[in-house]
Amino acid sequence: MPFFSTAHTIMYYDIFESDFTSPGNRTPPSNLLLIHGFGGTPASDFAAQLPLLRQRYRVIAPHLHGYGRSTHRTAYTLTFYHEDAADLAALLDMLGITQTLVVGFSDGGIVGLLLAAHYPQHVTALAVMGAQPTINTQNTAAIRHWLLEKPLPEDWQAELATLHGDPYWRTLPSMYVEGQDALVAAGGIIISDQELASITCPTLIMHGKRDRIVPATYASILHEKIAGSEIVLFDAGHAAHLRCEQEYTSTVTDFLRRHDR
């Protein structure tokens, strides 16, 4: 099993090699980094897109600190998003990957933005969905309601147990809410305006219009702050890649194809 020790975690990662038999493939294929969100892994968050992406790209699919087969968390620090970005940059360096396309969902979108801001040499183009540059008490109230104040769906509980292990997964929701509350108490800035302004790679900002966890106004802020970025809104909530699967997949693959060097 492939593991890599970073400054913050022992990271597990998968590499899904491209299907060289697919027509129109480049030789060698471009790299594509998938960054999952809270409670997920690349294989779970992008399950519907992976088969298609693997036809064209060499897919790098790491498990972020605290998830999947990577080291368990004991807390979410105030800098955990930046730490995750640093871990991914270290992984890319270790793999000898100088440039990669990047797709991120939710927290993975935040990490992708930070990766593009601080390690621009690694990111050819970036597509994110459900990301936010700041967080406030309304957001944390929505997160608390989602994760703690109502029972998690039984099918999601089973998935969390499979992905992260039982009983460890049961500590994640409360730990995550505590971490988000701490971010708000520290001022609520996840990605500064300076960091956003430093992103120069082609960037696609996607969001669900009816997102009750991360309001769609954040997508507009990201679009305004990142010069030359594109924005696409789906008629869905936070998990727009599930509710609008075909539209999301088409949007992402078209963007990647246009910016695949």
Side-chain angles (χ1 to χ4, degrees):
M1 291 184 183
F3 288 92
F4 172 64
S5 293
T6 75
H8 310 103
T9 186
I10 299 175
M11 176 179 285
Y12 175 86
Y13 62 96
D14 287 307
I15 297 180
F16 301 111
E17 297 293 347
S18 172
D19 180 2
F20 286 97
T21 64
S22 296
N25 260 3
R26 291 179 52 177
T27 304
S30 297
N31 294 297
L32 171 61
L33 175 66
L34 293 182
I35 315 178
H36 64 84
F38 170 82
T41 64
S44 66
D45 278 355
F46 301 101
Q49 290 76 42
L50 257 175
L52 183 60
L53 294 174
R54 290 181 64 181
Q55 290 179 17
R56 184 176 179 90
Y57 305 104
R58 179 176 182 248
V59 178
I60 316 302
H63 296 187
L64 297 178
H65 182 193
Y67 303 105
R69 296 178 178 178
S70 293
T71 306
H72 289 179
R73 281 190 176 275
T74 57
Y76 287 86
T77 68
L78 288 175
T79 56
F80 81 89
Y81 289 116
H82 288 76
E83 292 168 3
D84 284 343
D87 288 343
L88 293 182
L91 175 66
L92 294 173
D93 285 338
M94 184 276 293
L95 293 173
I97 295 174
T98 55
Q99 288 191 323
T100 181
L101 300 161
V102 178
V103 176
F105 167 60
S106 194
D107 276 7
I110 294 172
V111 175
L113 290 164
L114 288 168
L115 186 68
H118 290 277
Y119 310 94
Q121 71 278 11
H122 281 310
V123 184
T124 304
L126 171 67
V128 303
M129 188 178 73
Q132 62 193 107
T134 60
I135 189 167
N136 58 37
T137 54
Q138 289 180 315
N139 303 152
T140 54
I143 294 170
R144 185 177 296 104
H145 179 70
W146 170 47
L147 293 178
L148 300 179
E149 294 178 352
K150 63 177 185 177
L152 300 180
E154 291 187 4
D155 58 341
W156 194 31
Q157 292 189 46
E159 179 180 353
L160 290 170
T162 299
L163 293 177
H164 314 299
D166 196 0
Y168 166 70
W169 77 265
R170 300 177 188 276
T171 69
L172 284 172
S174 59
M175 193 191 312
Y176 185 76
V177 171
E178 289 173 7
Q180 299 298 322
D181 282 338
L183 281 171
V184 173
I189 297 175
I190 301 174
I191 312 174
S192 70
D193 287 351
Q194 282 185 321
E195 288 171 319
L196 292 174
S198 71
I199 297 174
T200 58
C201 67
T203 303
L204 171 63
I205 307 298
M206 298 172 286
H207 218 99
K209 296 177 184 177
R210 297 182 281 107
D211 193 334
R212 291 180 292 182
I213 300 171
V214 180
T217 51
Y218 284 124
S220 298
I221 293 171
L222 291 172
H223 178 49
E224 177 186 344
K225 300 293 184 182
I226 302 174
S229 62
E230 303 173 34
I231 185 170
V232 174
L233 301 179
F234 301 103
D235 186 19
H238 192 60
H241 62 309
L242 301 179
R243 305 302 180 205
C244 302
E245 179 185 314
Q246 291 185 346
E247 185 182 359
Y248 169 84
T249 302
S250 176
T251 300
V252 169
T253 54
D254 175 69
F255 174 79
L256 296 176
R257 191 176 296 110
R258 285 189 284 117
H259 298 288
D260 184 5
R261 297 174 184 172

